Amino acid sequence: MSKFDWLLYRILNKIDDKTRGAGKMSYSQCGEDLIVRFIFDALKIHSPTYIDIGAHHPTYLNNTFSFYAQGARGVNVEPDPKLIREFHEKRPRDSNLNIGVGDKDGSMPFYVMSSRTLNTFSEAEARAMEKEGKVAIEEVVSIPVRSIDSVLDEYFPVAPDLVSIDIEGFDLIVLRSLDFARHRPKVICAETLSYSSKREGGKIPEIAELMQDNGYFAYADTYINTIFLDKNLW
């Protein structure tokens, strides 16, 4: 771990080494990283590999930073050209890709929202959010997109231990395109709740059905996200 990584981790935690070692600090939206850490500890995976699709920010609401801060490394995918800059600064050991992930290679319109946590490749999702009146589409830019299989082929000689995916309406599309025979992550954390500023979003049952069909079970659910685990490992 570099001096920068160490100092950043200590500053963000504001706790001593013993407490840090207990792994009680979460950077995720609802503590998902702590749950995943528990799974990896049980599986004796101390330095997991990961891909974070729709990473947004290197530390804030991030499912993989706690692993990075403890020495692990992986791939962050963030299509917003402005948001990717902080990843190069704060996650230099990782591979940081300014692309989108879809079901095939190419390029797609990317909807940059006034609240950038809600950026999306889905026009329907962007229009629906805008219709609720809390956020607006600021601009639409064309962004290179690669399939998840092609990214995994390039950056992982074996499947990453963790796939974290949060891409506002595209999670199911990408997961459906994943070749589970070639790439079988141990854990997948996916957003399984549709967004609504009025808290009227509903669960997306198709994601759970897809994961079950491919031999995963829901180890934990934080309402917004579901953590799926390969049945064969547990």
Side-chain angles (χ1 to χ4, degrees):
M1 184 184 299
S2 70
K3 290 183 179 179
F4 175 82
D5 296 332
W6 173 253
L7 290 172
L8 178 62
Y9 185 59
R10 292 297 300 276
I11 290 169
L12 288 172
N13 275 284
K14 296 181 181 178
I15 50 179
D16 62 22
D17 291 342
K18 291 182 180 179
T19 307
R20 179 186 63 83
K24 298 300 183 183
M25 184 68 180
S26 174
Y27 300 92
S28 296
Q29 188 170 12
C30 301
E32 289 84 358
D33 51 357
L34 294 182
I35 299 171
V36 175
R37 177 75 273 173
F38 179 86
I39 293 172
F40 286 145
D41 285 347
L43 296 175
K44 301 188 186 306
I45 299 171
H46 303 298
S47 186
T49 56
Y50 52 79
I51 181 168
D52 194 339
I53 302 172
H56 176 66
H57 189 276
T59 61
Y60 176 65
L61 299 181
N62 190 281
N63 289 337
T64 61
F65 177 68
S66 64
F67 302 111
Y68 178 87
Q70 293 174 347
R73 62 190 303 174
V75 173
N76 301 302
V77 178
E78 175 47 58
D80 190 316
K82 294 182 180 178
L83 295 181
I84 196 66
R85 297 170 188 169
E86 276 201 89
F87 284 90
H88 295 306
E89 296 171 5
K90 296 181 180 178
R91 304 278 290 265
R93 286 198 324 275
D94 284 341
S95 297
N96 300 301
L97 310 181
N98 185 207
I99 61 170
V101 169
D103 55 353
K104 59 185 177 181
D105 294 350
S107 62
M108 292 182 65
F110 182 61
Y111 295 81
V112 179
M113 310 301 291
S114 54
S115 175
R116 291 188 176 236
T117 57
L118 301 174
N119 290 351
T120 180
F121 283 102
S122 170
E123 180 178 6
E125 190 84 3
R127 300 295 179 194
M129 289 187 286
E130 192 171 50
K131 189 175 180 179
E132 287 193 343
K134 296 294 182 68
V135 295
I137 300 170
E138 287 194 340
E139 61 177 328
V140 182
V141 293
S142 181
I143 297 293
V145 173
R146 293 179 59 182
S147 72
I148 186 170
D149 286 329
S150 70
V151 175
L152 295 180
D153 282 338
E154 179 174 350
Y155 288 94
F156 296 93
V158 295
D161 297 309
L162 169 64
V163 170
S164 176
I165 181 168
D166 181 356
I167 46 177
E168 305 304 328
F170 255 62
D171 302 63
L172 180 59
I173 292 171
V174 171
L175 289 172
R176 277 177 172 164
S177 71
L178 176 60
D179 186 345
F180 287 95
R182 287 165 54 200
H183 308 114
R184 192 167 184 82
K186 297 175 179 66
V187 178
I188 295 178
C189 181
E191 187 176 47
T192 52
L193 183 74
S194 62
Y195 174 78
S196 170
S197 63
K198 301 176 182 177
R199 298 186 177 180
E200 297 174 351
K203 295 295 279 186
I204 306 168
E206 293 87 351
I207 295 179
E209 292 166 5
L210 173 70
M211 300 309 299
Q212 184 174 0
D213 290 344
N214 283 280
Y216 290 78
F217 72 98
Y219 181 91
D221 189 284
T222 63
Y223 187 58
I224 296 172
N225 299 293
T226 306
I227 297 167
F228 298 98
L229 175 59
D230 186 344
K231 289 180 181 178
N232 296 327
L233 296 176
W234 198 243

